[in-house]
Amino acid sequence: MSRGGRDKSREQPERRCIVTGEVQPKPGLIRFVVGPDNIIVPDLAEKLPGRGIWVAADRAALEKAATKGLFSRAARAQVKAPEDLAGLVETALARRVVELVSLARKSGNAVAGFEKVKGWLADGRAKVLLQASDGSERGKGKLWTPTGGRWFGCLTASELGLSFGRDHVIHGALAAGGLTDKVILEAGRLTGLRGHDGGNTAAGKE
C-alpha cells in the first residue's frame, strides 16, 4: 500500500522517494522540479519541464526533504525549498480536490446532502463517499463506503461546501467515470499530507 492510500500495481509507473528511498507507484508521490533561481517547485500536474524529484505524499517526508538538504542532493546542485513547503503543497492539493469535485458536480457526477448521498449509496451509483473532517461523527457513521469504492475525509465542511456552491457540506458522493479517478488520486495525496482520515466512523470504511 502506498502512502497515498492506493494498492501498488505493476501497471503503474514507479518512482523512488528521495526521503524514504522506497520505490512506489507515482500516485503516492509528489513531483518537484527545480525552477527559476534554483527554487524547488511542486509540480502537482506533473507537466513542468525538467528532471522530476519525487517525494512521498506525506507531511513528515516533505518537511525532511526541505530541511535536510535532500532536494539539493537529488538535484546534484544547491537548491532551496520555499518556506513551509508542506503547507504550500497541502493548500494546493486541497484546491485541486475542491475544483475537481466542483467540475464533477457541474457534469452531474456528484451530489451533496445526507439524503441524496444515501440514495446514491443505496442504488449503487456512488463510487466515492466524501465526508467533512469536521462533521458530526454520529451523522457520518450512518453512511457507508461504496462497495468496491472509496471513502475520503480529507476536506473540511467549508472546503467541501465550495465544491457544491454552499457555505458548508458534510456529505458528498461521486459516481464512477468522469473526473472521479482524478479526485481519488488527489484526495489520496491530500490525505497523506493532512495525516488523518477525518475520524470517519462510516460502516465498511476502507
Side-chain angles (χ1 to χ4, degrees):
M1 181 73 74
S2 71
R3 288 176 182 265
R6 280 159 299 280
D7 293 327
K8 292 185 177 182
S9 168
R10 294 178 182 176
E11 298 178 357
Q12 291 180 329
E14 295 183 327
R15 297 292 185 271
R16 184 183 300 276
C17 170
I18 65 169
V19 177
T20 67
E22 295 176 359
V23 174
Q24 63 184 76
K26 285 169 60 177
L29 299 160
I30 296 171
R31 184 178 191 262
F32 296 86
V33 298
V34 180
D37 300 321
N38 288 332
I39 300 296
I40 289 295
V41 178
D43 179 23
L44 300 182
E46 300 177 7
K47 293 181 179 180
L48 294 177
R51 177 175 172 271
I53 299 172
W54 299 82
V55 181
D58 175 85
R59 175 171 288 274
L62 284 178
E63 290 175 346
K64 185 173 181 179
T67 60
K68 300 297 184 180
L70 301 185
F71 282 116
S72 293
R73 183 187 302 173
R76 298 176 183 175
Q78 193 62 38
V79 299
K80 184 179 179 181
E83 269 190 57
D84 191 22
L85 179 63
L88 292 174
V89 173
E90 177 187 333
T91 298
L93 280 172
R95 186 182 305 117
R96 286 173 70 84
V97 176
V98 167
E99 290 173 352
L100 286 168
V101 175
S102 178
L103 290 171
R105 170 183 64 86
K106 292 173 183 177
S107 66
N109 280 340
V111 293
F114 183 87
E115 293 301 331
K116 287 184 178 179
V117 170
K118 185 177 180 180
W120 273 30
L121 288 169
D123 293 342
R125 185 175 179 184
K127 169 94 181 260
V128 174
L129 172 63
L130 300 169
Q131 292 185 304
S133 58
D134 50 351
S136 162
E137 294 306 308
R138 181 178 180 183
K140 291 193 292 184
K142 294 179 181 179
L143 297 177
W144 59 94
T145 300
T147 301
R150 298 294 300 275
W151 172 89
F152 292 102
C154 54
L155 295 178
T156 64
S158 58
E159 288 172 335
L160 198 52
L162 285 175
S163 297
F164 291 95
R166 305 179 186 179
D167 288 337
H168 68 277
V169 165
I170 304 298
H171 315 284
L174 301 176
L179 295 169
T180 296
D181 286 344
K182 287 187 177 181
V183 173
I184 291 172
L185 169 65
E186 302 296 2
R189 288 171 169 166
L190 181 58
T191 297
L193 263 291
R194 291 191 163 172
H196 64 80
D197 64 3
N200 176 264
T201 55
K205 180 178 74 66
E206 295 179 338

